[in-house]
């Protein structure tokens, strides 16, 4: 998959809803009801971070949920990319971008939302042919004003900012011309996941799904 093809696929994923839930799932049994609640609430694109021992099994389970588009987050190595692809991930997300990681995603046909936080990061991805990226960690890097400022000289890159975003500040990003959607864990807080409050998560998803952009 070329960087151009990967960017088109990432743009399709980002167009599905204003928010991509960032999920840290500790129990495989939570996978199906969690994905069903988020999809029912209007958030079909789901990022399952590879930060728990069961993350790949969670991706396998969520990949079966009708209407969901499941991706793997926290991709760091080519082994992560291969394992995520084999588990059924439709896209990948990484906190940063290395040549090895980009090579692996292109070789395995896994569209990657690579992490950027500086103009140089963005320029490196643009040089390689990417036009969609993650901005991470968004709030710690200056938030929406910083992302807006990056967009002045580099308007051809579109972003999914992630990190420190919630219902309170999501609009600051979603109103920018270079923001396609935002990522965030606030729609699936660990307290609700661990207590199995799927109705509560669906309510949070519904609020997020109607954010204007
Ligand atoms: C992460 O990597 O955990 C994501 O950026 C989510 O960040 P958040 O918990 O601040 O939404």
């Amino acid at each position: 998959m070329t960087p151009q093809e990967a960017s088109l696929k990432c743009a399709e994923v980002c167009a599905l809803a204003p928010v991509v839930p960032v999920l840290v799932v500790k129990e495989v049994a939570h996978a199906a009801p969690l994905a069903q609640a988020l999809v029912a609430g209007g958030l079909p694109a789901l990022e399952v971070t590879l930060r728990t021992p069961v993350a790949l099994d969670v991706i396998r389970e969520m990949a079966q949920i009708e209407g969901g588009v499941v991706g793997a987050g926290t991709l760091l190595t080519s082994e992560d990319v291969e394992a995520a692809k084999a588990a059924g991930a439709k896209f990948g997300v990484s906190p940063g971008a290395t040549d090895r990681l980009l090579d692996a995603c292109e070789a395995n046909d896994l569209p990657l939302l690579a992490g950027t936080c500086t103009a140089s990061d963005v320029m490196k991805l643009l040089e390689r042919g990417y036009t969609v990226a993650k901005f991470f960690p968004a709030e710690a890097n200056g938030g929406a004003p910083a992302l807006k400022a990056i967009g002045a000289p580099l308007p051809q890159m579109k972003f999914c900012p992630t990190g420190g975003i919630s219902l309170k500040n999501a609009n600051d990003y979603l109103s920018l011309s270079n923001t396609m959607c935002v990522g965030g864990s606030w729609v699936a807080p660990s307290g609700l996941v661990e207590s199995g409050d799927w109705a509560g998560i669906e309510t949070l998803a519904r609020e997020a799904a109607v954010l204007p952009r």
Side-chain angles (χ1 to χ4, degrees), residues 36-79:
Q36 276 157 352
L38 292 164
V39 171
L43 302 181
L46 309 174
E47 175 191 338
V48 178
T49 59
L50 297 191
R51 287 188 223 164
T52 64
V54 296
L56 291 167
D57 292 324
V58 169
I59 291 172
R60 258 177 227 111
E61 291 281 319
M62 287 191 173
Q64 312 301 319
I65 302 302
E66 209 178 313
V69 178
V70 182
T74 327
L75 294 181
L76 305 179
T77 66
S78 47
E79 288 78 14

Side-chain angles (χ1 to χ4, degrees), residues 116-119 122 135-154 159 161 172-173 176 178-179:
T116 62
C117 69
T118 67
V122 175
F135 179 59
F136 177 81
E139 280 294 290
N141 275 303
L147 189 53
K148 183 178 181 186
I150 284 177
L154 302 168
F159 294 91
D172 299 344
Y173 293 92
L176 300 178
N178 61 348
T179 296

